[in-house]
């Protein structure tokens, strides 16, 4: 077994399938566990679990929870976040006045 840690950043509040409530925007630690595949002539690993570290909020400060998440659910949440960010950026641009080009 091996574990790797990385960080994912959400620019907007988001939800995860199977968990109640919305999580705030910010950086989240991602823990990926993999197992070594036996019987191959080269070293290869297979993902066995992915966890998103969620820090406790008001009333639960100091508490940390590892939430199991599938790779596809993570990719979908990040994609929704990127789409929301792009939408917000375009909305702000559309509301700003245009300059006269002379």
């Amino acid at each position: 077994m091996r574990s790797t840690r990385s960080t994912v950043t959400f620019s907007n509040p988001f939800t995860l399938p199977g968990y109640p409530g919305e999580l705030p925007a910010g950086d989240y630690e991602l823990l990926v566990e993999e197992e070594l595949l036996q019987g191959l002539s080269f070293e290869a690993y297979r993902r066995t679990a992915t966890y998103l570290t969620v820090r406790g909020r008001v009333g639960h400060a100091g508490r940390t929870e590892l939430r199991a998440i599938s790779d596809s659910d993570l990719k979908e949440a990040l994609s929704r976040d990127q789409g929301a960010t792009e939408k917000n950026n375009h909305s702000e641009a559309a509301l700003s006045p245009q300059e006269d080009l002379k």
Side-chain angles (χ1 to χ4, degrees), residues 92-100:
E92 290 172 11
L95 293 175
S96 63
Q98 294 184 357
E99 293 182 28
D100 285 324

Side-chain angles (χ1 to χ4, degrees), residues 46-79:
R46 178 177 66 92
R47 182 179 298 206
T48 57
T50 303
Y51 301 98
L52 190 70
T53 303
V54 177
R55 307 227 182 274
R57 293 185 281 183
V58 179
H60 297 288
R63 183 176 163 189
T64 301
E65 179 182 351
L66 288 177
R67 293 190 177 183
I69 183 171
S70 71
D71 191 44
S72 61
D73 286 345
L74 176 62
K75 285 179 183 175
E76 186 175 323
L78 288 167
S79 178

